[in-house]
Each structure stands twice: as structure tokens, then as C-alpha cells.
Amino acid sequence: MIVKIAEHAGACYGVERALKMVLNTAQELQDDCQNGAQNNTMHTLGPLIHNPQVVASLEKQGVHVAHSAQDVQEGTVVIRTHGVPPNIIEELNAKHLDIIDATCPYVKKVHKAAKKLALEGYFILIVGDADHAEVEGISGYSGTRFAIVKSLEDLKALDLPNKLGVVVQTTQSQSILQELVGYLISHASEVRVYNTICEATEERQKAAAELSRTVDVMIVIGGKNSGNTKRLFEISKEYCEHTYHIEVADELKLSWFEGVSTVGVTAGASTPASQIDNVVKVLESIA
């Protein structure tokens, strides 16, 4: 059985950057503790990334998950890759905590775009998943006149003003954005669009689509709570009926590969290389 890995797959720059920041800080705090420092507590505000295995590993290294700003009273707090609304930063600063901002630089671009549109009087449409942490953060920079949409049906349900601004969750797909903008152009007198889908997302989605067309089975690796991994699964499923979303190699089932000659592998932007390597190793061992 031949195993093919997508040209672009796995942890993106923002994830690798955040992990490096957190691990370096955790090591510094451990060193300080050995030198007599009293306060070495460290929390991430929500899971650092949408990868349960990585989050569990960080927990073992003393990096705990706080579910809200109220849960952190001292020490160091890390703003996760998805970012947070500005009022949360203010709340943390008021507690005089040491803040490590691991917000992905591409997410910060969305914040900047949303803030600019709000100041210029646009009604803002945020294209994304309403319950996603990144979208919650973007909302905080969008003033008081905004709506969150995910589909054309969502858009058609709104009473839209004539002056519209659009920003996009970084892990959304270009096809969704194009569909929504196409509708807006014919229904508003002014539409200003910031295409804030990050390059890494585009690359992974395109590579997954290309690979899934050529294989018998497609394996998508990443957190079940990862929006961008779910989209890779959806895209792959369009072209390869036998597509499976897993987090770790133990979830692979031999029955998936009976009579199969080629298997494709891709992984979400929150999936470290070690997780991909483990899955590929198991797949290559299957006769």
C-alpha cells in the first residue's frame, strides 16, 4: 500500500510560534523556581491550540488551561493563538498578570481590519463559525454593528445596510467567501472586503483537494475540535468517499484499508509533525 502525504499539511507558522513561546516561558519559570522564585504558575486562556494531545502534553509541563480570565489570579497567562477580545486583555492587565500574547499574527490582521472598518462606519460581516474562539475575538474589535455569517442562508436572513465591510475567520474556505461576496455585490451599494484567510489555510485546503482526487482512502489528522481540520475533512470527502478524521494513530482501523492500494494523508494546522509521523508509520506497516 502506497502512502502519500499532502504537499502542505500540519502545524502552521502561528501554531509553531505559539508552542515555542509557551515552552520557552515554561522552562524559564521552572528555572526561576529552582532559583527560589515563589510564583511560577502558568495558564493559557483556553486551550493554546485545538489539539487535545498537545494541550495534555503542556499540562504535564505545568501549563494549565484556564477557561476564563476570572480563573487566573496570579502568575503568567498566555493568550492563545485564536486571540481574545480587547476587554479580556484589559481585565488581565488590571490583575497585573504577566501576559504572553501568542495570538497568531494572521489573526491580529483580522483584528486590525475589523477595528478599521468599525471606525469608518461600516456594518461588519464576520464570515466564520459563531462559536469559534477566533470569531469571538474578532467580534470584540468590530464595534457594535456586526453580524456573524457562515452560509448564504445566514446572509439572506439579514436586513443588510448599504455600507458593508467583510472580514473572515482565518481558517475559512475561499469558496464560502466568494459565494457570500458574490451575493453582497448585487445587494449593497458599497462592499469592502478584507480577505483574511491565511495562506497556510489556503495551501492545506488546495493540497488536500488535489491529493484526495488521486487516492483510495484519505486520512485527515487533527483535533476533533479544530475548525480548519474539519474543513480539510469536508474538502477531502468531496473527492474521496473513504475519508476519515482521526487524532492519533490508535484510531486507525484495518478494515478501512482492505483492498486499498493508495492512502492519502493530510493534517490540520494545529497538528505537530510528530503526530503525522506516528500515523504514517502505522499506515506504512499495513501490508
Side-chain angles (χ1 to χ4, degrees):
M1 187 172 70
I2 298 173
V3 179
K4 299 180 180 181
I5 303 173
E7 182 179 0
H8 299 284
C12 63
Y13 164 75
V15 166
E16 291 181 340
R17 170 181 174 270
L19 285 171
K20 184 176 181 181
M21 292 172 71
V22 168
L23 292 173
N24 286 345
T25 302
Q27 184 60 58
E28 290 172 4
L29 290 174
Q30 289 179 11
D31 293 343
D32 290 344
C33 185
Q34 292 176 356
N35 293 325
Q38 297 298 312
N39 190 354
N40 68 332
T41 58
M42 185 174 181
H43 293 83
T44 61
L45 195 55
L48 180 68
I49 60 176
H50 282 157
N51 185 302
Q53 290 71 38
V54 170
V55 172
S57 176
L58 290 174
E59 180 75 28
K60 292 178 181 177
Q61 298 177 67
V63 183
H64 311 293
V65 176
H67 298 290
S68 70
Q70 290 77 22
D71 294 335
V72 186
Q73 301 301 326
E74 61 180 5
T76 300
V77 61
V78 180
I79 305 302
R80 57 181 174 172
T81 53
H82 307 101
V84 295
N87 65 297
I88 299 298
I89 300 292
E90 294 172 5
E91 183 177 348
L92 296 173
N93 277 322
K95 294 182 178 183
H96 305 291
L97 299 168
D98 292 324
I99 300 174
I100 305 295
D101 190 355
T103 305
C104 173
Y106 291 102
V107 173
K108 282 185 174 290
K109 288 183 179 180
V110 193
H111 294 172
K112 184 177 179 180
K115 185 176 180 180
K116 179 177 175 62
L117 288 169
L119 289 173
E120 294 178 355
Y122 287 85
F123 183 92
I124 300 173
L125 293 172
I126 304 171
V127 180
D129 301 301
D131 59 351
H132 195 283
E134 181 184 327
V135 173
E136 180 182 347
I138 296 168
S139 300
Y141 289 87
S142 300
T144 58
R145 300 175 63 245
F146 69 89
I148 301 167
V149 294
K150 176 66 183 296
S151 65
L152 191 56
E153 289 71 28
D154 292 341
L155 202 53
K156 290 179 177 179
L158 297 174
D159 183 14
L160 296 172
N162 285 324
K163 186 176 180 180
L164 296 170
V166 179
V167 294
V168 195
Q169 181 183 344
T170 58
T171 55
Q172 286 295 311
S173 68
Q174 289 288 355
S175 60
I176 291 174
L177 177 61
Q178 290 169 2
E179 181 181 35
L180 298 185
V181 172
Y183 176 85
L184 290 174
I185 288 174
S186 61
H187 288 79
S189 59
E190 182 180 354
V191 181
R192 188 170 182 181
V193 180
Y194 283 89
N195 182 352
T196 47
I197 298 174
C198 80
E199 185 177 342
T201 295
E202 292 184 59
E203 290 175 342
R204 280 153 183 74
Q205 291 178 355
K206 182 179 178 180
E210 291 176 351
L211 180 58
S212 60
R213 289 186 177 99
T214 69
V215 296
D216 301 315
V217 172
M218 193 75 179
I219 301 298
V220 182
I221 312 166
K224 299 292 175 60
N225 58 343
S226 166
N228 76 84
T229 305
K230 290 177 183 177
R231 270 179 280 284
L232 289 177
F233 171 79
E234 292 165 359
I235 291 168
S236 298
K237 187 77 172 176
E238 286 183 34
Y239 305 105
C240 180
E241 179 183 356
H242 302 292
T243 294
Y244 305 96
H245 179 181
I246 66 170
E247 291 185 351
V248 293
D250 288 347
E251 296 176 68
L252 294 170
K253 297 181 180 179
L254 290 176
S255 59
W256 295 347
F257 309 104
E258 292 177 1
V260 169
S261 59
T262 55
V263 177
V265 176
T266 189
S270 296
T271 308
S274 58
Q275 277 183 258
I276 300 173
D277 292 343
N278 288 338
V279 171
V280 170
K281 184 178 179 180
V282 172
L283 289 173
E284 290 178 339
S285 71
I286 298 174

